[in-house]
Amino acid sequence: MSTSLAGKTALITGSTSGIGLAYAKALAGEGANVVINGFGDKDAIEKERQGLETLSGAKALYSGHDLTKVDQIEAMMKDAADTFGGVDILINNAGMQHVAPVEEFPLDKWDLIIALNLNAAFHTTRLALPWMKDRKWGRIIQTASAHSLVASPYKSAYVTAKHGLAGFTKTVALEVATFGITANCISPGYVWTPLVENQIPDTMKARGMTREQVMNDVLLAGQPTKQFVTAEQVAATALYLCSDAAAQVTGANLSIDGGWTAQ
Ligand code: NAD
């Protein structure tokens, strides 16, 4: 499958690490200019940004705004427009998690998770669409989650946001269906990212388990293949969604979860 994205601009939220960085590498490798976003060490981010520019010669811009705030989302979208004209491929990927029973869920965490995992996608989408509609081409991709389809206890804000994101995406897909713009969710199960890897030592200590027990009996308990999804597998699905072969794939929620949601 050839997916030349030369001349296109992709903005990927939360792309200084994990799945977002894998998207940025995949899209830059196919010739797209990329706008990366997220937090982290300044020098490490600049190194990643420069590395992205070596993949195909396309440009990479870092816009490190906090996407829990509407004015900062607007500033990020303006950075992209000022540098590249507009955004052809929008990947809403920035996300956070907090685990607590509903009656003890910290109010500030609830608000932050809904703001980042759900509201930010509304704001980036409304700001990206005019450019996509003018050009009669666009791709909107959400990193949703298996938790956009099923729930787990103690993750009420995350599950609410991801289910909301799935509904929002279907609505957008219908509204822009005649403009050459598609909108889809990618819903991974457990993906091997630094975030997941970093949980292992604490869980080993807390539960008195070996590394293998934590991976198989805790993290992969619900994933029938008993293997982690890789960030590169998720990014490859985004590349497919950007290709002409996927022009009629819209309003879909594509699971990459080792069979989790088949159960
Ligand atoms: P990660 O923690 O490695 O990456 C999260 C990114 O979001 C980072 O770049 C971080 O700096 C950025 N970010 C955090 N708060 C932000 C804010 N306020 N404004 C802007 N950027 C912010 O996590 P990941 O595992 O790569 O997750 C990426 C997405 O994939 C999330 O939406 C997550 O819900 C989803 N997801 C992850 C998994 C998994 O197992 N890792 C599974 C399903 C879905």
Side-chain angles (χ1 to χ4, degrees):
M1 184 183 65
S2 152
T3 323
S4 175
L5 298 175
K8 302 267 196 284
T9 297
L11 183 147
I12 306 116
T13 70
S15 43
T16 51
S17 110
I19 298 167
L21 185 57
Y23 285 132
K25 287 179 179 166
L27 294 165
E30 293 299 331
N33 297 317
V34 290
V35 182
I36 57 169
N37 156 265
F39 302 147
D41 174 72
K42 266 204 173 107
D43 292 342
I45 293 171
E46 174 55 17
K47 212 170 147 202
E48 291 290 2
R49 191 199 65 74
Q50 287 177 15
L52 289 167
E53 290 195 334
T54 66
L55 295 175
S56 67
K59 293 283 170 213
L61 173 75
Y62 171 59
S63 179
H65 294 287
D66 178 350
L67 304 188
T68 62
K69 298 182 169 67
V70 179
D71 60 337
Q72 295 207 28
I73 296 172
E74 290 172 345
M76 176 188 69
M77 297 304 286
K78 186 173 182 312
D79 286 348
D82 288 349
T83 306
F84 298 119
V87 173
D88 304 289
I89 299 163
L90 170 65
I91 305 191
N92 290 303
N93 171 78
M96 58 188 287
Q97 175 66 282
H98 186 79
V99 179
V102 170
E103 69 275 26
E104 291 166 22
F105 213 92
L107 302 189
D108 59 334
K109 292 281 186 215
W110 175 277
D111 287 345
L112 274 179
I113 291 173
I114 299 297
L116 183 63
N117 296 17
L118 178 58
N119 294 349
F122 159 66
H123 293 295
T124 55
T125 301
R126 72 176 171 82
L127 295 166
L129 276 177
W131 168 268
M132 292 181 184
K133 281 185 165 177
D134 279 353
R135 311 235 310 179
K136 295 260 184 295
W137 195 94
R139 294 290 187 264
I140 298 168
I141 299 169
Q142 329 285 16
T143 312
S145 166
H147 283 122
S148 74
L149 296 162
V150 296
S152 295
Y154 313 123
K155 295 184 175 177
S156 55
Y158 187 89
V159 170
T160 300
K162 295 294 186 180
H163 274 65
L165 191 58
F168 173 66
T169 307
K170 287 196 264 190
T171 307
V172 172
L174 296 179
E175 290 187 18
V176 299
T178 57
F179 288 89
I181 304 168
T182 67
N184 293 286
C185 287
I186 299 178
S187 283
Y190 261 112
V191 184
W192 187 250
T193 65
L195 190 85
V196 171
E197 188 168 10
N198 293 340
Q199 293 172 25
I200 292 179
D202 281 349
T203 314
M204 284 168 67
K205 220 187 276 171
R207 297 190 181 223
M209 286 178 159
T210 64
R211 183 180 169 83
E212 283 63 39
Q213 283 171 325
V214 171
M215 287 171 70
N216 294 321
D217 302 344
V218 180
L219 298 177
L220 294 176
Q223 212 148 288
T225 56
K226 300 295 172 204
Q227 288 182 23
F228 287 95
V229 180
T230 67
E232 290 70 27
Q233 289 166 340
V234 178
T237 305
L239 274 189
Y240 163 68
L241 288 173
C242 290
S243 73
D244 289 342
Q248 295 300 318
V249 179
T250 194
N253 192 341
L254 305 178
S255 292
I256 313 180
D257 63 6
W260 175 347
T261 53
Q263 297 172 98

